[in-house]
Amino acid sequence: ATTGMRIGELRNLRWSDIDFDSSAIHIRDERSSHRKGLQKRTTKGKRSRVVPLNHDLRVALDDLQVSKHSDGFIFHGPKGARLVAKRFLVIFRRRVLNKLKCEYPTPESEIGFQHGTVHGFRHYFVSEAFRMDFSETEIMDWVGHRSSAMVHHYRHQRPGASQQRMCSISFIADDTVSPAN
């Protein structure tokens, strides 16, 4: 939710990808790397990118640094093994989505946390970035999309957001101007 990363990118994130000094996350595509011995990490967009490190994520990572694993990866399974994507999804649904679904019940025939996915948090990231008036180019760079159409697929308006923004506009700047103009 704070990075817009895909599950595979998150799963393969290493401590060496986090630059705490410049507050950045390096999401690496290593297809053209000459490194030997390690499995090369890839991104769907086939290119590396940099995402600014959100303050809330930084705090969470600071807590995780206490128990750094020797393999360099940030996230691990419950017993310290490499995080398996399918197992992660099961745990994520149980520990995150089920709790959110109870805390924020959804009216019948609406879409809510019970329909949620890890990828839904990517949609949330893009939607919130647009809502906070970040540029389309910034958002495209952060999530690794090359087309505006794709990033707009991820953008969702909050209920009432358009009405709230419309109410913030003053169309009548001078009391002497007729509202009919």
Side-chain angles (χ1 to χ4, degrees), residues 18-62:
I18 310 295
D19 185 342
F20 287 99
D21 292 333
S22 67
S23 292
I25 303 170
H26 297 268
I27 302 169
R28 303 185 194 285
D29 189 293
E30 299 170 331
R31 290 170 217 266
S32 61
S33 171
H34 298 291
R35 288 174 48 172
K36 294 183 180 173
L38 294 174
Q39 182 179 3
K40 292 182 180 180
R41 297 175 294 169
T42 60
T43 63
K44 188 174 179 182
K46 298 180 181 176
R47 61 189 173 123
S48 298
R49 64 187 192 274
V50 177
V51 178
L53 182 58
N54 174 278
H55 172 73
D56 295 329
L57 179 58
R58 184 183 190 114
V59 169
L61 289 173
D62 284 342

Side-chain angles (χ1 to χ4, degrees), residues 78-113:
K79 297 180 181 174
R82 282 287 287 128
L83 192 61
V84 177
K86 285 188 178 190
R87 181 74 181 133
F88 171 78
L89 293 173
V90 169
I91 293 169
F92 176 79
R93 181 163 292 284
R94 185 177 64 231
R95 292 188 182 171
V96 177
L97 290 178
N98 285 344
K99 287 182 181 180
L100 288 170
K101 151 176 108 171
C102 292
E103 194 168 332
Y104 303 100
T106 305
E108 196 158 329
S109 78
E110 297 282 325
I111 296 175
F113 285 111

Side-chain angles (χ1 to χ4, degrees), residues 3 5-13 75 83 88 118:
T3 65
M5 292 170 64
R6 295 176 180 92
I7 188 172
E9 296 165 345
L10 189 64
R11 179 182 170 274
N12 288 314
L13 199 61
F75 302 106
L83 192 61
F88 171 78
V118 173

Side-chain angles (χ1 to χ4, degrees), residues 101-171:
K101 151 176 108 171
C102 292
E103 194 168 332
Y104 303 100
T106 305
E108 196 158 329
S109 78
E110 297 282 325
I111 296 175
F113 285 111
Q114 70 266 24
H115 307 101
T117 64
V118 173
H119 202 71
F121 284 90
R122 187 168 162 84
H123 285 254
Y124 173 78
F125 175 84
V126 170
S127 297
E128 288 302 290
F130 270 114
R131 191 176 72 79
M132 299 302 292
D133 291 324
F134 287 100
S135 74
E136 183 176 287
T137 304
E138 287 173 305
I139 298 166
M140 287 171 56
D141 286 346
W142 294 343
V143 296
H145 286 155
R146 293 183 180 169
S147 77
S148 295
M150 193 55 170
V151 85
H152 282 279
H153 168 75
Y154 282 80
R155 181 184 187 178
H156 309 281
Q157 287 280 3
R158 281 187 177 189
S162 293
Q163 182 63 41
Q164 184 179 7
R165 288 184 64 99
M166 179 60 83
C167 289
S168 72
I169 301 171
S170 175
F171 289 102

